Every structure is written in C-alpha cells, then in structure tokens.
Amino acid sequence: MNDWLLYLIITAALAFAVSSWWGVRSLKALHTRSAVQEDTYHPGLSRQTVAVVMNPVKAKSAEATALIQRACLSAGWDAPVFFETTAEDPGYSQAEAALASGADVVLVGGGDGTVRVVAEKLARTNVPMGLIPLGTGNLLARNIDLDVYDLHGNVQTALFGHQRHIDMARMAIRNSRTGTSSEHAFLVIAGMGMDAEVVGDTNDGLKKAVGWLAYTEAGVRHLPGRRKKVSIALDDQPEQSRKIRSVLFANCGLIPGGIDFIPQAMIDDGMLDVVVMSPRSAIGWIAMYAKIMFKHKRNLPVMSYYRSGKIVIKCAEPVATQVDGDPSGMATDVTVQVEPRSLLVRVTESKGGETAPRECTPQ
C-alpha cells in the first residue's frame, strides 16, 4: 500500500475516533427518534409479576439485580424471578422460562446480543420487554431514547414506565457452498460484507478496554479489499446487479458515538432502510464518512439508500453477515424482511402524553 494512502486511512480512523468520542460527550447518547405509529401508553397494572433475564458476566449485573429487587419490594410486588444466561445459551431457554413463569414484563440485563435473543422469543406475545442496558453499544436502548448511563432510571422505566410497539426484522441466510442455512432476528442493524468482517474481527480484549472504539481498529485493517458482485431485489421487484463492499439493513439509525447513521430510519414505520456501500478506495470511505458526520444531503455514487420491507441479495461467493453486532455466518443468499410492530417495549413517556413514570413508593 502506498504511504500516502496509509496516511489517509490512519487520519480517517483518528478523525472518526475523535469525532465519535466528542459525539458521546456532547450528546450523552440521548436521541429523539419520532414514533410514526403510536404514542406511548401506560400498561395500567397495579401489580406485576416480573421476570429478569440477566447476563451475569456484565460489569454492573450485580448492581442491576439489587436495584430490581429493591424496586419490586418497594412496590409491594412478589420478588422478581431471575434467569441467568450462560456461554452455551445466551438467553433462548431463559426467555422461554420467563414467559412460562407467567411474567407480566420481562426485563433484560445485558448487551445487544442478549436483548436480541430475548426479543426474538417475546415477539408477538404482547409481553413487554424492559431494557437494562449493560453492554458496549446498547444500540436498541439508544434508539428508544434511554440514557444508557442511568442504571437506576432504566430500572424504573423497565418496571413502571410506559410502553410502545416497535418493529423487528429477520435475516435468513444460506450458504450454497456448504448447504447450511439459518435465520436470525435483529432490532437495530444487520449487514453483510465489510461491516460484518469488522464485527467478526474486533479484538475482544480491546473491546473491553475501550468499548465501541475497538471497531475503529478493526475497520482500518479491513478498509483495503475488493468489491463483490451481487444481485439485489427490493420488495420482489426485478433484481439489480451491483458491486458492493457492504450492505446494511437498518431498523433504526443511531449508532455508538452519537452518530445518526441513517437519520430517516424509524423503529416503527414498517420499513427497513437499506444502505449499499461500494467505495473502491480510501477516498471513497472518507467521502462516505464526511457525508455521515456532516449530514450532507448530496448523493454519493458509492453510497445508495433504499427503503423496503423485504430485501433479497445473492452472490456467487460466500460473504460474512452480522445481526446487531453479532457474527451470523457466511452466506451466498440473504433474505431480510421486516416484522412491523411485533415487539412491545417499555419506554419513557412520549411528549404530550400522560404523566411520566415516577419512582414507585411502598404501598
């Protein structure tokens, strides 16, 4: 690689890290994402049976557990039932057990992976999910306007807050080389190509040390690379042939660093926002970065936006995929489809609604 190109890549990575850090400092991970289908509403229950799916390895899991127990005790409710995830089972059986316990609400303490797994089981049950964000990105929490640094406030919202329906989506993948196939739910952003390669190649130790900034280091290493030819069909329309580095399927648009990656993406509009990225060089990556950071409205040839309820992508050679920041395997065929308003979540009150939930006092 030429020295000037290497310098450009390093400069872009440093600019991303600094501006993303400043975004976190200035925005404090708060974001207003308008609902298009419904306002929030209070569940209206005087007593609730509470189940909690908790990832015990997260740093603040013990503190979160104590806060949940104390809040339920103060409300005069039965003690919450806890189900801990394991390395072998990230929450599937625990979410099933929580539903089987007759819970009126299921709280999820963990990162985006735990939230995604539990949400997959709660979808279309009309049992609300309360978020206790304890992970690195906490992307869903950010996109429903929770302050990811306010643990006490999130416990109060999860137990006593309002609620609303949001969309989920599913990505079915097939690898024609191996004959394997699978299906994965996601809530925020799924993708294929370079973004999935970065997710799979991020150093876990660095991630624990510096959080989401670890993705920057992996991203720099994966910037060089060739585009791959794919066919893309939106909503069962005729296929388009494209050369891509990455394709993202966004249910909502806010990512770590206070960056509104897709400003028009809304979490309950029944649509996915699709971003096709096809830069040939570092210059293309820098141009896309500048467009995102400065919210420039000018179209770029290397970055195309679409809106669709269903997307089918086929490629001749296997490409890496990811769902909400978790690697989901290699695929030659990908089908992504939205599931409108399929998940009920606890949130803070929307503007113009009823009185916001207050900390509960003993009965």
Side-chain angles (χ1 to χ4, degrees):
M1 184 184 296
N2 294 334
D3 287 345
W4 70 269
L5 184 57
L6 180 61
Y7 294 147
L8 277 175
I9 294 173
I10 293 173
T11 300
L14 289 174
F16 176 83
V18 171
S19 58
S20 296
W21 173 83
W22 179 255
V24 171
R25 294 282 294 179
S26 60
L27 297 179
K28 296 182 180 179
L30 293 177
H31 177 71
T32 300
R33 175 71 60 197
S34 298
V36 297
Q37 293 289 349
E38 65 179 13
D39 289 329
T40 66
Y41 63 94
H42 198 273
L45 297 175
S46 58
R47 296 181 64 88
Q48 295 182 101
T49 299
V50 179
V52 185
V53 178
M54 181 69 70
N55 184 341
V57 304
K58 294 300 182 181
K60 293 188 176 181
S61 60
E63 183 181 354
T65 296
L67 285 172
I68 295 167
Q69 290 173 327
R70 191 178 307 130
C72 289
L73 177 63
S74 296
W77 301 346
D78 292 336
V81 181
F82 286 81
F83 303 92
E84 292 189 344
T85 65
T86 64
E88 296 74 26
D89 187 343
Y92 291 106
S93 65
Q94 292 86 349
E96 290 177 350
L99 286 172
S101 72
D104 296 308
V105 59
V106 177
L107 275 56
V108 186
D112 290 313
T114 308
V115 169
R116 179 179 61 81
V117 167
V118 175
E120 185 171 358
K121 294 296 182 180
L122 294 182
R124 303 196 184 282
T125 66
N126 220 37
V127 175
M129 178 173 72
L131 294 181
I132 312 297
L134 303 175
T136 303
N138 302 308
L139 294 182
L140 180 63
R142 296 172 191 269
N143 278 278
I144 60 173
D145 305 326
L146 298 182
D147 182 347
V148 298
Y149 304 108
D150 183 5
L151 182 57
H152 176 269
N154 289 325
V155 169
Q156 291 293 309
T157 298
L159 291 173
F160 312 114
H162 286 224
Q163 54 195 37
R164 60 179 284 206
H165 287 91
I166 64 172
D167 300 339
M168 283 184 58
R170 292 186 182 273
M171 180 165 72
I173 68 173
R174 186 178 73 90
N175 188 334
S176 61
R177 300 280 182 87
T178 63
T180 58
S181 61
S182 59
E183 184 174 286
H184 309 269
F186 67 94
L187 294 159
V188 184
I189 297 179
M192 61 183 301
M194 179 187 161
D195 70 291
E197 294 168 359
V198 169
V199 165
D201 198 28
T202 299
N203 184 280
D204 288 337
L206 188 62
K207 189 175 177 181
K208 290 180 179 178
V210 300
W212 50 266
L213 286 175
Y215 293 111
T216 303
E217 184 271 338
V220 171
R221 287 190 282 109
H222 283 271
L223 279 180
R226 64 183 181 86
R227 300 185 301 171
K228 296 183 179 180
K229 187 175 182 179
V230 304
S231 69
I232 303 176
L234 304 175
D235 286 330
D236 298 320
Q237 296 297 309
E239 296 178 350
Q240 308 175 36
S241 181
R242 298 289 302 270
K243 288 185 177 180
I244 61 100
R245 285 298 308 277
S246 188
V247 181
L248 296 177
F249 316 99
N251 190 36
C252 44
L254 188 71
I255 61 176
I259 300 171
D260 206 352
F261 183 69
I262 309 174
Q264 67 270 28
M266 292 187 182
I267 202 167
D268 64 350
D269 61 357
M271 300 292 285
L272 293 171
D273 291 80
V274 184
V275 185
V276 179
M277 296 178 283
S278 55
R280 297 182 180 182
S281 66
I283 299 299
W285 287 114
I286 293 172
M288 289 195 308
Y289 168 79
K291 175 180 173 63
I292 294 167
M293 291 303 301
F294 297 105
K295 295 180 170 55
H296 203 289
K297 294 183 179 180
R298 183 177 179 180
N299 292 329
L300 293 176
V302 296
M303 192 175 191
S304 303
Y305 292 87
Y306 305 92
R307 284 171 59 77
S308 180
K310 178 182 178 182
I311 307 98
V312 178
I313 299 182
K314 299 179 180 180
C315 45
E317 56 184 297
V319 177
T321 66
Q322 62 87 14
V323 286
D324 286 351
D326 287 332
S328 49
M330 305 292 290
T332 55
D333 302 81
V334 172
T335 300
V336 183
Q337 192 156 2
V338 69
E339 294 186 348
R341 303 181 68 244
S342 55
L343 183 67
L344 189 61
V345 295
R346 289 279 169 87
V347 294
T348 56
E349 180 204 6
S350 61
K351 294 180 180 179
E354 305 170 29
T355 303
R358 302 174 182 173
E359 183 169 347
C360 185
T361 56
Q363 295 180 348

